[in-house]
């Protein structure tokens, strides 16, 4: 992007701010709470478009599956599944308004902050009721006030950090926005204002307060789910962070980051219900360390903490205390292939929701394998190698519900470092059908069904058919852990105390592959796959390895490892 074009873009942002302030202050009046907006006129893009593109010669249109939540399930040309923001304005059924972002919406949250970005002094507020400077960045009301009144909620949206905020104001919404803030931490922190993600944390605190005031979780949920959420952020990032060179990034890369940050503001809080992950986990990589294909999630990161709780919940208290999560890695959201797969998964989710009355039935499930196999899956997707063709509950990809992590972990094995690995995936189940044990079913029995389970009421196994395995499964996280006592459970007895470190079957396979011909190695690998899928027992695998490879070769490999690392086969 050249300099003149960047100037033009920044000027457009500045003009948009001026226009909004002009709208807020064009008709100063005493606010009695009875003032009404006479009409609404919407200008702009898809955020407000209610169907103007329908009759244009353009590919930017929204036909089926858009509109699935609209009256009659009709695609009206709106860029969404139901009404758009222009429709919502003026709807008296809206319960509350919540505002996040910067000075466009801030109604006084900066007043008590140690920052120069505040407006609680003359001549600000000169057109406000009583000529009072309230901390709003203008002479009168700001855009969040106008929206609140347009929604027939209240004429003024109070600031959440106003020390005089009363409990009576909480149920109809508050403002969390902070003048000068942005999506980029480097924009907000140096100014001493409230970073937008921290505003979201304030919102979570608000929900707790609201529930305390109402004393009823259902009422709280009703208010939150029927509210309007208003966001204005990004212009300060461009002016104060990108343009000053602090971002050390190109305009293309920085705006891509801004889009990602904005999308993450719309993510719902992750929750657990009896150990099961309920809501989509974030795609944000800002708090993580990156590798080529995955990023390392840190302790304290919301995703890391929720996955940890879910994982250990499934182990039970006793075994969880003896289990340590070493790393949680997530597929890098910055890779173009990851974005493409996420988009495809979203499209299939929307299609499934339309097919099944609005509920795509998206779940999380565990899949166990070696780290090498899991990294291949997370990079390239599932292949025929992972298809379970045993006599147990059909032929397909078998995954374990997120709250039954122990069941999945029992099918894993330790690697040369003593680690086990599980893959956590998002799944589109749609309408599942029960697949009885011993079934050889490999696809839905009718168009009514989309996937399989071992028990419809309390599934412990999800079955995704091979025809949809890379459409209905989105591999996302690799969890690596140590659980010494899990070996005891897996072997069904008390293990002998090892006198030396261990070498896993995976490491043994790697050594064998360097010493054996392809035909014999393939035979061992097929047996090893059967063992990982729990189709055969450990002693059967060992017997087959001795039969095919021979005791001499196995002894040489074991001796090599003993000389090098003092290890033994387990």
């Amino acid at each position: 992007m050249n300099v003149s074009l960047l100037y033009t873009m920044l000027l457009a942002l500045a003009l948009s701010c001026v226009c909004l302030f002009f709208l807020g202050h064009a008709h100063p009046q005493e606010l009695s709470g009875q003032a009404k907006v006479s009409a609404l006129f919407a200008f702009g893009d898809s955020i407000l478009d209610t169907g103007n593109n329908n009759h244009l010669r353009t590919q930017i249109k929204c036909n089926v599956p858009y509109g699935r939540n609209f009256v009659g399930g009709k695609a009206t040309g709106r860029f969404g599944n139901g009404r758009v923001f222009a429709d919502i304005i003026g709807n008296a059924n809206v319960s509350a308004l919540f505002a996040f972002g910067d000075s466009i919406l801030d109604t006084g949250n900066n007043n008590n902050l140690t920052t120069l970005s505040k407006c609680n002094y003359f001549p600000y507020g000169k057109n406000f009721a009583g000529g009072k400077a309230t901390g709003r960045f203008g002479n009168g009301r700001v855009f969040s006030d106008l929206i609140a009144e347009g929604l027939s909620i209240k004429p003024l949206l109070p600031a959440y950090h106003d020390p005089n905020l009363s409990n009576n104001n909480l149920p109809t919404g508050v403002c969390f926005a902070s003048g000068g803030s942005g999506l980029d931490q480097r924009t907000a922190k140096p100014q001493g204002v409230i970073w937008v993600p921290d505003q979201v944390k304030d919102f979570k605190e608000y929900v707790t307060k609201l529930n305390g005031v109402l004393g009823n979780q259902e009422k709280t949920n009703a208010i939150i789910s029927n509210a309007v959420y208003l966001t204005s952020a990004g212009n300060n990032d461009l002016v104060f962070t990108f343009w000053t060179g602090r971002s050390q990034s190109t305009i293309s890369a920085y705006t891509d980051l801004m889009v990602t940050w904005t999308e993450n503001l719309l993510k719902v809080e992750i929750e657990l219900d009896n150990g099961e992950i309920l809501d989509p986990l974030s795609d944000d990589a800002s708090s993580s360390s990156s590798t080529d294909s995955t990023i390392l999630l840190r302790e304290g990161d919301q995703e890391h903490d929720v996955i940890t709780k879910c994982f250990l919940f499934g182990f039970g208290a006793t075994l969880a205390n003896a289990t340590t999560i070493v790393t949680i890695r997530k597929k890098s959201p910055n890779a173009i292939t990851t974005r493409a797969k996420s988009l495809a998964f979203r499209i299939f989710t929307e299609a499934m929701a339309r097919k099944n009355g609005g509920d795509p039935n998206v779940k999380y499930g565990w899949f166990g394998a070696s780290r090498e196999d899991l990294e291949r899956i997370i990079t390239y997707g599932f292949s025929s190698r992972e298809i379970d063709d045993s006599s147990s509950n059909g032929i397909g990809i078998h995954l374990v519900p997120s709250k039954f992590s122990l069941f999945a972990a029992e099918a894993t094995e330790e690697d040369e470092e003593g680690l086990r690995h599980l893959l956590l995936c998002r799944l589109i189940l749609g309408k599942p059908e029960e697949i009885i044990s011993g079934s050889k079913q490999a696809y839905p029995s009718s168009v009514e069904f989309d996937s399989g389970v071992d028990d419809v009421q309390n599934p412990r196994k999800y079955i995704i058919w091979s025809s949809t395995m890379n459409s209905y499964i989105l591999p996302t996280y690799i969890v690596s852990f140590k659980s010494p006592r899990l070996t005891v459970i897996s072997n069904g007895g008390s293990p002998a105390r090892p006198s030396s470190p261990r070498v896993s079957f995976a490491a043994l396979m790697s050594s064998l592959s360097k010493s054996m011909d392809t035909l014999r190695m393939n035979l061992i690998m097929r047996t090893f796959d059967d063992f990982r899928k729990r189709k055969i027992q450990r002693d059967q695998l060992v017997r087959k390895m001795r039969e095919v490879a021979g005791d001499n070769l196995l002894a040489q490999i074991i001796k090599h490892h003993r000389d090098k690392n003092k290890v033994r086969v387990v």
Side-chain angles (χ1 to χ4, degrees):
M1 176 177 288
N2 59 41
V3 174
S4 62
L5 183 56
L6 181 58
Y7 268 123
T8 302
M9 182 176 67
L10 295 176
L11 179 60
L13 285 168
L15 288 175
S16 68
C17 296
V18 172
C19 290
L20 289 174
F21 281 123
F22 175 76
L23 176 64
H25 313 130
H27 301 288
Q29 57 182 300
E30 294 294 324
L31 299 176
S32 64
Q34 301 300 318
K36 297 296 179 184
V37 175
S38 60
L40 175 69
F41 302 96
F43 303 85
D45 52 22
S46 59
I47 301 298
L48 302 175
D49 185 7
T50 58
N52 285 307
N53 283 15
N54 285 353
H55 307 292
L56 300 180
R57 292 183 178 179
T58 176
Q59 293 182 341
I60 305 176
K61 297 183 179 182
C62 290
N63 301 315
V64 176
Y66 291 95
R68 58 184 170 84
N69 293 333
F70 203 79
V71 178
K74 181 181 179 183
T76 61
R78 288 166 169 81
F79 286 72
N81 294 328
R83 294 180 299 159
V84 293
F85 193 63
D87 299 311
I88 296 173
I89 299 297
N91 183 350
N93 292 323
V94 173
S95 61
L97 175 68
F98 302 103
F100 304 84
D102 52 27
S103 59
I104 301 296
L105 304 177
D106 184 7
T107 58
N109 282 305
N110 284 13
N111 287 352
N112 297 306
L113 299 181
T114 305
T115 177
L116 295 176
S117 299
K118 57 176 65 178
C119 294
N120 56 345
Y121 53 88
F122 185 82
Y124 292 99
K126 64 179 182 178
N127 294 333
F128 202 80
K132 181 182 179 181
T134 62
R136 288 167 169 81
F137 286 70
N139 295 330
R141 292 184 296 165
V142 292
F143 194 57
S144 49
D145 297 315
L146 298 176
I147 295 295
E149 185 178 45
L151 292 170
S152 300
I153 296 174
K154 49 190 173 186
L156 296 174
L157 189 68
Y160 178 67
H161 289 282
D162 183 347
N164 297 317
L165 178 68
S166 70
N167 289 341
N168 292 335
N169 267 316
L170 294 181
T172 50
V174 293
C175 175
F176 300 96
S178 177
S181 188
L183 301 165
D184 193 330
Q185 190 173 16
R186 293 167 293 186
T187 302
K189 296 299 182 180
Q191 297 184 74
V193 298
I194 307 170
W195 185 32
V196 175
D198 286 338
Q199 295 172 27
V200 176
K201 292 181 180 179
D202 285 341
F203 171 72
K204 295 173 184 177
E205 179 185 83
Y206 157 85
V207 173
T208 301
K209 289 183 179 179
L210 177 63
N211 194 48
V213 170
L214 298 178
N216 187 308
Q217 187 65 55
E218 289 186 6
K219 289 183 179 179
T220 301
N221 292 342
I223 289 173
I224 299 304
S225 60
N226 290 304
V228 169
Y229 297 81
L230 191 62
T231 302
S232 170
N235 51 331
N236 290 324
D237 296 311
L238 288 171
V239 175
F240 296 120
T241 302
F242 174 78
W243 186 242
T244 57
R246 279 187 289 177
S247 68
Q248 297 183 343
S249 179
T250 64
I251 184 62
S252 177
Y254 193 67
T255 51
D256 281 347
L257 272 176
M258 290 174 66
V259 169
T260 300
W261 290 331
T262 303
E263 288 176 345
N264 288 326
L265 290 179
L266 306 178
K267 300 293 185 183
V268 295
E269 183 181 3
I270 309 168
E271 294 181 351
L272 289 180
D273 179 19
N274 194 29
E276 183 173 9
I277 299 175
L278 295 180
D279 295 320
L281 294 159
S282 168
D283 290 328
D284 182 22
S286 60
S287 62
S288 310
S289 302
S290 177
T291 64
D292 291 340
S293 60
T294 61
I295 55 176
L296 179 65
L297 299 182
R298 300 171 180 154
E299 288 188 26
D301 176 86
Q302 188 182 30
E303 292 172 276
H304 181 284
D305 293 349
V306 169
I307 292 172
T308 298
K309 290 178 183 177
C310 172
F311 179 83
L312 295 178
F313 178 93
F315 272 53
T318 302
L319 192 56
N321 289 334
T323 300
T324 303
I325 292 182
V326 179
T327 62
I328 300 178
R329 289 194 168 272
K330 173 185 176 182
K331 189 170 184 180
S332 174
N334 297 323
I336 188 170
T337 53
T338 302
R339 294 187 179 187
K341 290 177 181 178
S342 296
L343 177 59
F345 187 82
R346 188 182 309 167
I347 292 172
F348 277 108
T349 300
E350 291 178 355
M352 186 65 76
R354 186 170 179 82
K355 173 182 179 293
N356 292 312
D359 183 12
N361 196 13
V362 175
K363 300 289 186 181
Y364 282 84
W366 298 104
F367 183 86
S370 68
R371 175 163 184 166
E372 292 76 14
D373 284 343
L374 295 186
E375 289 181 344
R376 174 180 53 79
I377 293 170
I378 209 169
T379 302
Y380 302 109
F382 285 88
S383 67
S384 58
R385 183 174 177 176
E386 285 76 50
I387 295 175
D388 191 337
D389 57 358
S390 68
S391 59
S392 174
N393 303 103
I395 300 172
I397 304 296
H398 290 197
L399 302 103
V400 177
S402 58
K403 65 181 179 180
F404 294 125
S405 53
L406 177 59
F407 183 64
E410 286 176 344
T412 64
E413 57 159 314
E414 292 182 344
D415 62 15
E416 60 274 15
E417 297 176 354
L419 296 177
R420 298 172 184 262
H421 310 278
L422 284 175
L423 180 65
L424 183 61
C425 309
R426 290 182 69 190
L427 318 170
I428 304 173
L429 289 183
K431 185 175 182 179
E433 60 182 308
E434 186 169 328
I435 309 299
I436 63 173
S437 179
S439 171
K440 289 294 185 180
Q441 184 174 330
Y443 46 82
S445 62
S446 73
V447 294
E448 179 184 1
F449 299 108
D450 308 294
S451 62
V453 292
D454 60 337
D455 186 318
V456 174
Q457 297 300 323
N458 186 31
R460 289 178 173 266
K461 186 179 293 184
Y462 297 140
I463 302 99
I464 303 296
W465 310 118
S466 60
S467 57
T468 56
M469 61 186 180
N470 286 317
S471 302
Y472 291 1
I473 306 177
L474 187 64
T476 309
Y477 304 92
I478 296 178
V479 178
S480 300
F481 63 100
K482 286 186 176 182
S483 186
R485 294 188 63 178
L486 186 61
T487 303
V488 180
I489 297 175
S490 300
N491 291 339
S494 300
R497 183 175 180 85
S499 58
S500 56
R502 301 177 173 185
V503 58
S504 70
F505 281 122
L508 186 57
M509 295 299 167
S510 176
S511 297
L512 285 172
S513 66
K514 300 173 183 178
S515 306
M516 294 179 59
D517 59 81
T518 303
L519 184 63
R520 289 192 299 160
M521 193 64 214
N522 285 342
L523 179 58
I524 290 180
M525 286 305 300
R526 283 197 297 271
T527 308
F528 183 46
D529 283 344
D530 287 342
F531 169 73
R532 291 190 305 172
K533 294 174 181 177
R534 307 183 73 178
K535 294 163 63 174
I536 63 173
Q537 298 297 317
R538 176 183 178 278
D539 59 336
Q540 292 175 286
L541 172 60
V542 173
R543 188 161 52 248
K544 178 61 70 173
M545 291 173 62
R546 295 181 64 182
E547 176 186 327
V548 176
D551 288 345
N552 289 337
L553 178 57
L554 290 173
Q556 292 175 14
I557 293 174
I558 293 171
K559 184 178 184 303
H560 172 74
H561 279 279
R562 181 179 293 118
D563 293 341
K564 185 177 180 180
N565 299 314
K566 299 293 184 182
V567 299
R568 68 183 184 84
V569 179
V570 296

